[in-house]
Amino acid sequence: MCAQPFKQLPVLIVDGKYEIAQTTVIYRYIGAKYGAICETLEEQAICDSYGEHINDLFFKCRAFFKAKMQQLPEQKQKETYEEFNKFFTKNYIPAFVKQFNKNGGKFIVGNKVTWLDFFLADCTDLLLVSFNDMLTPEVKEQLAPFAKHRDEIFALPGLEKRMKERKELSEAGNKVYQGNPENYEP
């Protein structure tokens, strides 16, 4: 078994037999398996669109971190951060706020939790942790509904074990999840 069909993480291995790669595909799979999918094809297409929008943000974020890690000239680091920040504040945040408001403020799409809610909650958590020192008070204020959404999603029944394990892994500095798959069961 390859365990990394595209030579990158993440990879979800199911029953020791199926290697599922790519973040949004893993979220969609787990969502479908446990009923966290939209009720209509149109709502699912909207979920997919917003999931890809999260990936767009990660692409810009990776460019910034790559420039920093490779110790590129200060100007290049500044440019990649400014590109990320502009996309984040002028495109990403407003798009999700508009969709939240359009959908009533509890879930991103539809009347129940979907894989996209989990994806956004994880992304929000990562952003608030990784960029906290770089966020202006105005941006932190804009992210308040995202933080509230994250907290509500992370507090859903059945996630207690996984959230505890996630915190322990984070505190231990582990970057690769090697936890108990039973902690994902509802």
Side-chain angles (χ1 to χ4, degrees):
M1 183 161 265
C2 175
Q4 290 185 11
F6 304 129
K7 297 184 187 328
Q8 64 187 27
L9 295 174
V11 174
L12 175 67
I13 300 172
V14 179
D15 299 330
K17 179 172 158 179
Y18 303 101
E19 297 172 358
I20 302 171
Q22 302 293 9
T23 302
T24 48
V25 174
I26 293 168
Y27 274 102
R28 287 182 196 123
Y29 168 78
I30 292 171
K33 186 168 183 144
Y34 295 106
I37 54 172
C38 289
E39 296 179 11
T40 69
L41 188 58
E42 292 75 17
E43 287 179 344
Q44 187 57 51
I46 293 169
C47 269
D48 291 347
S49 296
Y50 280 88
E52 291 305 314
H53 198 51
I54 292 171
N55 285 331
D56 291 343
L57 180 71
F58 280 139
F59 179 77
K60 296 195 181 299
C61 183
R62 277 191 292 274
F64 166 65
F65 279 119
K66 184 177 178 182
K68 262 187 116 42
M69 289 172 55
Q70 292 180 344
Q71 299 177 345
L72 296 180
E74 193 69 35
Q75 182 60 32
K76 183 64 176 171
Q77 291 182 40
K78 183 179 177 189
E79 287 171 11
T80 58
Y81 177 75
E82 286 173 357
E83 185 177 334
F84 160 77
N85 192 51
K86 181 179 177 187
F87 181 83
F88 183 52
T89 58
K90 305 292 185 212
N91 188 321
Y92 181 86
I93 291 173
F96 273 99
V97 167
K98 182 179 177 183
Q99 181 62 25
F100 266 130
N101 293 338
K102 180 179 176 182
N103 200 49
K106 184 165 174 107
F107 304 116
I108 305 167
V109 178
N111 298 319
K112 65 177 191 168
V113 68
T114 66
W115 64 269
L116 182 61
D117 290 294
F118 290 104
F119 192 19
L120 179 61
D122 276 340
C123 178
T124 299
D125 194 56
L126 178 68
L127 289 167
L128 289 173
V129 170
S130 299
F131 285 93
N132 190 48
D133 296 340
M134 301 171 92
L135 300 174
T136 65
E138 296 80 22
V139 172
K140 287 180 181 181
E141 185 177 323
Q142 287 180 301
L143 288 174
F146 292 79
K148 180 179 184 273
H149 173 263
R150 175 208 54 200
D151 295 345
E152 290 172 356
I153 297 302
F154 285 178
L156 288 171
L159 291 179
E160 302 88 3
K161 288 182 196 174
R162 172 62 184 122
M163 296 313 296
K164 181 178 183 258
E165 180 182 58
R166 177 182 172 145
K167 183 178 180 200
E168 290 169 358
L169 286 168
S170 176
E171 289 171 353
N174 291 327
K175 302 295 181 202
V176 177
Y177 175 71
Q178 296 179 10
N180 184 346
E182 292 177 6
N183 290 347
Y184 283 104
E185 299 294 326

